[in-house]
Amino acid sequence: MNSIEELLKTHCPNGVEYKVLSKICNVRAGDRIIKSMMNDDEKYPVMGGGVEPTGYYHNFNFNYGITIARAGSAGFVSWQNDKFWATDVCFVVSGLLQSKISSLSLRGEAEAIQNLDSNAMDCNNKLRLKYIYYFIKNHEKEFKNHLYGASMPKLDKSYLWNLRIPIPPLIVQEKIVSILDTFTELEARKKQYAYYREKLLSFDYLDSITGGISYMALGEILDYEQPTKYIVKSTDYSDEFDTPVLTAGQSFILGYTDEKNGIYKASKQNPCIIFDDFTTSFHWVDFSFKIKSSAMKILCPYYRKSKKSSLRGEAEAIQESKNENLDCHESADADSRNDKINFKYVFYAMQCINFTPQEHARHWIGKYSSFKIPLPPLEIQEKIVSILDKFESLANDLSQGLPAEIKARKKQYEYYREKLLSFYNFKKDKK
């Protein structure tokens, strides 16, 4: 990654040093308590051998740290951002001051704990514990190869204690943590967005707030245009050019072209949906563009055609539609339908369709356009769009904090975590 590589070249041109985990952090198992000592009304989560807290306890033995399940979900790695109790089936990697915190906590000396300098809680002034968490999390799958015991597999303590950690300069660690923290929050926002989208567009919710809803097939709502005349002629892309070249797949923007003809004039006022006819992936587009291939359809509401009819005569508009390979419908019917439909609502409803193509074939005409979506009253559609637009805006704002090379490639969080934490050159270990 460009920014990380530049920092490495500047601050450690001779490579990155590795050190053994137990030499740079406090690593130990937690302290045993039994289930009857826990109570859901207590304040502090109890971390044991599972993914979620085992229960809650009135005391804590760690201020924050990295938890690794010793048994149960052995090898599962998690970050604890606040005070918690770790049991004896949970390993904890923490700052070197945590042994003092644990001792004070067990003796009930809460005031002394509060007075400890929180800035000194990391392993030392050359390490950030959150960086170490990300490195260990990136190696979580390897822990499965270091379990022992048949009936209840446990993580091998010696493997964890002797895990070798690359130690780049502090400025590099902080850059990596900043990027991965942003990704983590972005992923959480996306999950939250998906949850509310599914809830807001569910039949039960819509029926409960409207007293009854109707359904309509996508093919009755959306018209399509074949993309032939918008296909880019040259793939000599450059960021210096103005017009984006799109694909309906994950990449979305492939590059930018300087071609002036055959540009689809989408805008905030006249957006469209580009739909991959083979994979059924799709994107909302509200800016002018060209496309890479003919393996897609451009979707828009029928009412745009009816507006052409009112301005220039229905016969002329229908003939134009035929010339553009559009699937024509009666203009009056389009008006009556689309006066009650919000186009962006349709886009969000399409995201809730659970369909995975099983064959390599075009799907819009034969299959996808027949799928029905719920259509509550227009004011409900607009309210749902307003809520989901806000979630999307929050995610987009968060994405602005990511380096450009990450945003452009549209890869997943795990890919970048591994990429950021791969150090191929390192000095001899220092014990």
Side-chain angles (χ1 to χ4, degrees):
M1 311 216 42
N2 293 341
S3 57
I4 300 298
E5 288 174 356
E6 289 172 5
L7 286 171
L8 287 171
K9 287 178 181 178
T10 301
H11 296 279
C12 48
N14 296 322
V16 175
E17 177 185 8
Y18 276 59
K19 292 186 177 181
V20 171
L21 179 62
S22 58
K23 299 292 186 181
I24 56 175
C25 289
N26 179 48
V27 189
R28 74 173 185 90
D31 304 293
R32 177 175 169 78
I33 59 173
I34 58 176
K35 187 69 176 178
S36 61
M37 299 168 66
M38 304 177 204
N39 189 311
D40 287 344
D41 293 329
E42 298 295 353
K43 182 176 181 180
Y44 302 108
V46 177
M47 302 307 299
V51 174
E52 300 294 333
T54 303
Y56 292 83
Y57 193 48
H58 69 272
N59 201 358
F60 65 94
N61 55 359
F62 290 91
N63 225 39
Y64 70 94
I66 306 162
T67 54
I68 301 123
R70 182 181 186 182
S73 301
F76 179 78
V77 181
S78 186
W79 173 258
Q80 308 302 325
N81 204 44
D82 210 342
K83 300 178 181 69
F84 66 98
W85 186 277
T87 71
D88 56 344
V89 291
C90 176
F91 290 131
V92 181
V93 179
S94 60
L96 295 175
L97 286 181
Q98 287 285 12
S99 57
K100 182 176 182 180
I101 292 172
S102 299
S103 175
L104 292 170
S105 179
L106 291 170
R107 297 204 310 265
E109 298 180 25
E111 184 177 352
I113 295 172
Q114 296 297 333
N115 290 332
L116 287 173
D117 182 3
S118 60
N119 293 322
M121 295 304 218
D122 277 355
C123 298
N124 58 48
N125 60 5
K126 294 184 179 180
L127 286 173
R128 286 292 173 262
L129 189 62
K130 192 69 174 288
Y131 160 78
I132 293 173
Y133 158 71
Y134 281 123
F135 182 83
I136 295 175
K137 185 70 175 178
N138 195 48
H139 288 72
E140 186 177 60
K141 292 181 181 178
E142 295 181 19
F143 289 157
K144 302 300 180 184
N145 299 322
H146 297 275
L147 305 180
Y148 67 92
S151 59
M152 181 178 288
K154 293 182 175 65
L155 178 62
D156 181 5
K157 172 182 175 179
S158 64
Y159 175 76
L160 178 62
W161 261 240
N162 292 293
L163 186 66
R164 296 167 67 248
I165 309 292
I167 311 297
L170 189 60
I171 189 174
V172 177
Q173 296 177 45
E174 290 175 341
K175 180 70 173 179
I176 290 172
V177 168
S178 174
I179 292 172
L180 295 179
D181 275 353
T182 302
F183 255 118
T184 301
E185 188 176 351
L186 183 59
E187 290 299 305
R189 289 272 178 84
K190 286 180 178 178
K191 289 179 182 178
Q192 189 181 36
Y193 162 77
Y195 169 81
Y196 281 105
R197 184 188 65 210
E198 297 291 334
K199 181 175 177 62
L200 289 169
L201 294 168
S202 69
F203 172 82
D204 290 342
Y205 174 75
L206 292 173
D207 189 61
S208 69
I209 63 174
T210 62
I213 55 173
S214 61
Y215 281 78
M216 188 176 287
L218 290 172
E220 298 179 82
I221 303 167
L222 301 178
D223 203 354
Y224 71 87
E225 182 176 0
Q226 300 288 8
T228 308
K229 65 182 181 181
Y230 307 114
I231 296 176
V232 70
K233 291 182 173 59
S234 171
T235 56
D236 292 332
Y237 306 142
S238 171
D239 289 343
E240 295 179 359
F241 298 149
D242 295 329
T243 304
V245 180
L246 306 185
T247 172
Q250 189 177 13
S251 300
F252 189 37
I253 298 178
L254 296 174
Y256 294 84
T257 180
D258 60 350
E259 294 178 18
K260 303 300 182 185
N261 298 320
I263 296 174
Y264 189 97
K265 301 293 186 180
S267 65
K268 298 288 185 183
Q269 292 72 37
N270 289 296
C272 67
I273 296 170
I274 58 172
F275 179 89
D276 189 308
D277 222 0
F278 291 93
T279 68
T280 70
S281 63
F282 53 89
H283 293 277
W284 179 265
V285 186
D286 55 12
F287 50 84
S288 296
F289 63 91
K290 289 182 72 68
I291 62 169
K292 176 65 170 66
S293 75
S294 61
M296 68 168 69
K297 285 181 168 55
I298 302 172
L299 310 179
C300 63
Y302 278 113
Y303 67 78
R304 291 186 191 163
K305 195 182 310 168
S306 67
K307 288 180 179 178
K308 288 182 182 179
S309 301
S310 64
L311 291 173
R312 294 184 286 106
E314 184 173 335
E316 182 182 351
I318 291 176
Q319 183 59 47
E320 180 184 290
S321 295
K322 288 180 178 177
N323 292 338
E324 294 178 351
N325 295 317
L326 291 176
D327 187 20
C328 298
H329 284 247
E330 293 285 338
S331 295
D333 290 343
D335 276 334
S336 63
R337 280 197 300 267
N338 289 284
D339 281 347
K340 299 178 181 179
I341 297 172
N342 182 298
F343 185 29
K344 191 67 174 288
Y345 169 85
V346 177
F347 169 74
Y348 284 130
M350 287 173 64
Q351 293 180 340
C352 296
I353 293 174
N354 185 17
F355 173 70
T356 303
Q358 299 300 315
E359 56 182 336
H360 186 71
R362 292 183 179 271
H363 290 92
W364 176 259
I365 295 175
K367 184 75 174 179
Y368 210 92
S369 62
S370 64
F371 291 141
K372 294 184 176 182
I373 62 170
L375 284 177
L378 183 59
E379 60 270 22
I380 300 297
Q381 296 178 44
E382 291 172 343
K383 184 175 181 180
I384 289 172
V385 167
S386 176
I387 293 171
L388 294 179
D389 276 352
K390 288 176 182 176
F391 273 109
E392 200 168 65
S393 178
L394 285 171
N396 289 337
D397 289 345
L398 198 57
S399 296
Q400 299 306 310
L402 296 174
E405 61 267 28
I406 290 181
K407 291 188 292 181
R409 293 180 64 178
K410 299 285 184 182
K411 296 292 184 181
Q412 294 196 6
Y413 162 78
E414 289 81 2
Y415 171 87
Y416 285 102
R417 185 181 65 202
E418 183 171 351
K419 186 80 171 174
L420 288 166
L421 294 167
S422 296
F423 299 98
Y424 298 106
N425 300 310
F426 55 92
K427 296 178 183 178
K428 184 178 179 181
D429 288 4
K430 291 185 178 180
K431 304 297 184 182

